[in-house]
Amino acid sequence: MIKRDIFSPSDDRFRLHVAAFLDSEIAPHYSVWESTGRIPRDAWLKAGAAGLLCRTAPALHGGHDAPFTEAVVIAEELAKRRFAGFLTFLQSDIVAPYFLKLATDSQKQAYIPDLCSGAKLGAIAMTEQQSGSEIQYMKTAFTRRADGFSISGEKKHISNGFSADVILVAARRANLPSGGDPQLSLLIVDGGTPGLSREPIPKSGMRALDTSKIVLDNCIVGDDKLLGAEGRGLFYLLTFLGLERLMLAIYAQASATAILQELVTFCTERKTSTGCLLDYQTNYCRLADLYAECSVNQSFIDACIIAQARGKHDPKASSLAKLRATETLKSIAVLAVQLRGAQGISDGMGARVTQDVVDSCVQSIWGGASETLRDAIGRSLVNSI
Ligand SMILES: Cc1cc2nc3c(=O)[nH]c(=O)nc-3n(C[C@H](O)[C@H](O)[C@H](O)COP(=O)(O)OP(=O)(O)OC[C@H]3O[C@@H](n4cnc5c(N)ncnc54)[C@H](O)[C@@H]3O)c2cc1C
């Protein structure tokens, strides 16, 4: 693949540490976790102890004060090994930033050190049956009480939803005073809150990832569980979705690179009567196109990474990166089955590469489906060009 120059020697050393951890502590168990659909808590605690959680969080709160490039290294090493179920960046770079940026001091103390150590597992619950792509229309509602909030509603497809100890729930106010703000708010719901129930959703993609339905039936939480300002939830979600989409783009890009590399190796080794599969012009031209797409995507994503590391958050660039990386990944994953012929659907190799196709479809759906990203990008064109 193209040479990248965004990583420091210290990032490179950290990459070796991450790789060694994943190979020794995660790889031996991963296929079992794919069948159970969940990662045991012990793995999270080990990851926390090895310094793999909340890398960029301040040391003051139990993090590591690390540069953003180290968060990138972790996501890339997970993707290379197809460890999507062990979605540490959900905890570190998607959930924790809400606490770091919006929480009060006592909320920070209550949650961030445990998210850093793996003692608490976090989730963010936006999606509902009728509002996956259209988060602004979610129906989960809360009523204000004298001492806090009562929340009711149903969330679907929530990563870490079954295991999470702390769930950020997006909900809108039901008993609105006249002239009040009907917008969404973010509420912290702890795992043991009465009225909270969860149910894993069986699925064919990202099989080790705990993805669950969450039901909130009059869940009562205290005043101290409002995160940020009331009524600012949609603004927060749309802002933080930028970093989420960049992390998903980084993950998809590393998946695409790994699958393309394996495919080129396969085409070189697969003998035909006159040479190997890579000798056919039809094949090397298609691979050349995908290599070009992949390389250009990488350069764009690296530019986004550098900007993010410098504190320049650009949600639109993250959407572009996610759209390009996940769509290229899907093309590569499908070709990786096709060029293997019958082997692409047979035995262990066939199982792996067909699973890659399904997993690549997950990547162009979660965090905003490609169509919704195109829709938003398309609508903004009039002001962009
Ligand atoms: C493995 C996994 C993990 C997830 N984890 C989380 C999580 O942790 N938290 C959370 O809140 N959510 C999570 N989700 C939900 C995810 O964000 C939604 O699935 C996604 O936003 C799409 O919503 P939907 O599934 O309801 O599809 P829908 O909104 O029903 O859309 C279905 C399809 O319709 C098309 N479509 C939608 N809108 C448009 C449009 N404007 N123009 C053209 N076509 C359109 C797209 O092809 C889209 O894929 C997860 C999903 C998966 C698969």
Side-chain angles (χ1 to χ4, degrees), residues 45 61 73 88 113 128 141 176 181 197 301 321 325 332 334 356 358 380:
L45 289 167
H61 296 302
V73 163
T88 63
E128 298 175 4
L176 200 63
D181 189 342
S197 59
I301 290 170
I332 292 172
V334 170
D356 285 341
V358 182
S380 72

Side-chain angles (χ1 to χ4, degrees), residues 23-339:
D23 290 340
S24 63
E25 301 296 339
I26 305 301
H29 314 288
Y30 197 75
S31 60
V32 174
W33 300 342
E34 284 187 307
S35 56
T36 57
R38 210 168 312 153
I39 307 289
R41 179 55 56 96
D42 193 41
W44 289 94
L45 289 167
K46 283 182 179 165
L52 266 61
L53 297 179
C54 304
R55 234 11 239 174
T56 59
L60 171 72
H61 296 302
H64 302 271
D65 278 328
F68 180 63
T69 43
E70 291 195 8
V72 174
V73 163
I74 297 171
E76 289 181 347
E77 292 304 309
L78 288 167
K80 270 188 208 167
R81 291 165 179 75
R82 298 170 166 89
F83 288 164
F86 192 44
L87 213 55
T88 63
F89 62 84
L90 170 68
Q91 172 104 338
S92 309
D93 308 300
I94 297 177
V95 173
Y98 282 90
F99 283 97
L100 287 164
K101 292 277 189 316
L102 304 176
T104 60
D105 285 345
S106 59
Q107 286 171 336
K108 282 183 179 158
Q109 273 169 23
Y111 293 103
I112 301 175
D114 285 347
L115 291 172
C116 294
S117 68
K120 276 194 167 75
L121 205 54
I124 173 135
M126 298 177 251
T127 302
E128 298 175 4
Q129 179 65 25
Q130 288 307 320
S131 58
S133 301
E134 300 178 306
I135 54 171
Q136 65 274 32
Y137 297 118
M138 63 181 77
K139 292 199 171 74
T140 297
F142 65 89
T143 49
R144 268 254 181 215
R145 297 159 44 99
D147 53 349
F149 310 90
S150 168
I151 318 165
S152 290
E154 203 171 296
K155 300 288 185 183
K156 286 197 87 178
H157 312 295
I158 306 306
S159 303
N160 288 348
F162 194 78
S163 328
D165 307 283
V166 47
I167 306 168
L168 293 183
V169 174
R172 63 179 71 254
R173 183 156 174 191
N175 58 341
L176 200 63
S178 67
D181 189 342
Q183 296 303 319
L184 296 171
S185 298
L186 297 182
L187 293 158
I188 304 168
V189 177
D190 293 317
T193 307
L196 174 72
S197 59
R198 315 104 177 286
E199 194 184 309
I201 300 175
K203 61 187 190 318
S204 53
M206 306 288 189
R207 291 186 305 128
L209 179 64
D210 156 12
T211 313
S212 299
K213 177 167 112 175
I214 293 179
V215 178
L216 303 122
D217 181 10
N218 255 327
C219 264
I220 295 174
V221 299
D223 261 335
D224 58 338
K225 299 298 180 185
L226 176 69
L227 189 67
E230 187 173 338
R232 296 286 284 160
L234 186 61
F235 170 76
Y236 296 146
L237 293 176
L238 295 177
T239 305
F240 284 86
L241 265 172
L243 177 56
E244 172 170 347
R245 286 180 180 151
L246 178 56
M247 295 311 298
L248 296 176
I250 291 164
Y251 189 86
Q253 174 65 20
S255 307
T257 305
I259 297 170
L260 185 58
Q261 278 168 341
E262 284 177 20
L263 179 58
V264 170
T265 305
F266 175 85
C267 290
T268 320
E269 289 171 355
R270 174 78 168 124
K271 299 297 171 211
T272 64
S273 49
T274 52
C276 72
L277 265 190
L278 201 59
D279 294 334
Y280 295 121
Q281 193 177 26
T282 330
N283 295 343
Y284 64 69
C285 284
R286 187 75 188 106
L287 286 165
D289 280 345
L290 289 171
Y291 173 76
E293 263 185 56
C294 219
S295 302
V296 172
N297 293 350
Q298 187 69 75
S299 298
F300 184 72
I301 290 170
D302 284 353
C304 294
I305 291 169
I306 293 168
Q308 178 70 32
R310 291 182 181 149
K312 293 215 177 337
H313 187 66
D314 184 348
K316 187 171 172 190
S318 301
S319 295
L320 289 170
K322 181 182 183 280
L323 174 64
R324 291 307 317 145
T326 57
E327 289 299 318
T328 302
L329 165 64
K330 257 195 318 205
S331 304
I332 292 172
V334 170
L335 190 68
V337 174
Q338 181 69 22
L339 289 188

